[in-house]
C-alpha cells in the first residue's frame, strides 16, 4: 500500500514539475518531449514498417 502511495505522489510531483517548467522554460519541455517521441518511435517500430523500408 505504501508503494502505491509513493507512486501516486511521484506522479503528482512529476506533473506539477512539468507544469512549472512549461511555464518557465517551454523550450526545454518541448525538447524533452521530442526526444521521448523519437525514443518511443525507435523502440516501437513495427515489422510492417521494417518490411516497407526493405521494399523501398
Amino acid at each position: 500500500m505504501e508503494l502505491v502511495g509513493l507512486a501516486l505522489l511521484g506522479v503528482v510531483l512529476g506533473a506539477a514539475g512539468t507544469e512549472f517548467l512549461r511555464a518557465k522554460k517551454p523550450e526545454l519541455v518541448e525538447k524533452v518531449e521530442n526526444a521521448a517521441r523519437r525514443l518511443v518511435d525507435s523502440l516501437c517500430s513495427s515489422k510492417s514498417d521494417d518490411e516497407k523500408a526493405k521494399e523501398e
Side-chain angles (χ1 to χ4, degrees), residues 19-56:
E19 291 303 315
F20 177 77
L21 280 177
R22 195 178 301 274
K24 298 291 181 182
K25 296 190 181 237
E27 67 278 354
L28 178 65
V29 174
E30 186 176 336
K31 285 181 184 179
V32 171
E33 287 176 345
N34 288 337
R37 280 191 197 100
R38 286 193 307 269
L39 177 67
V40 169
D41 287 343
S42 69
L43 293 177
C44 295
S45 64
S46 65
K47 285 189 175 184
S48 61
D49 291 342
D50 293 338
E51 290 172 3
K52 287 179 185 177
K54 288 179 184 177
E55 289 175 0
E56 295 176 355

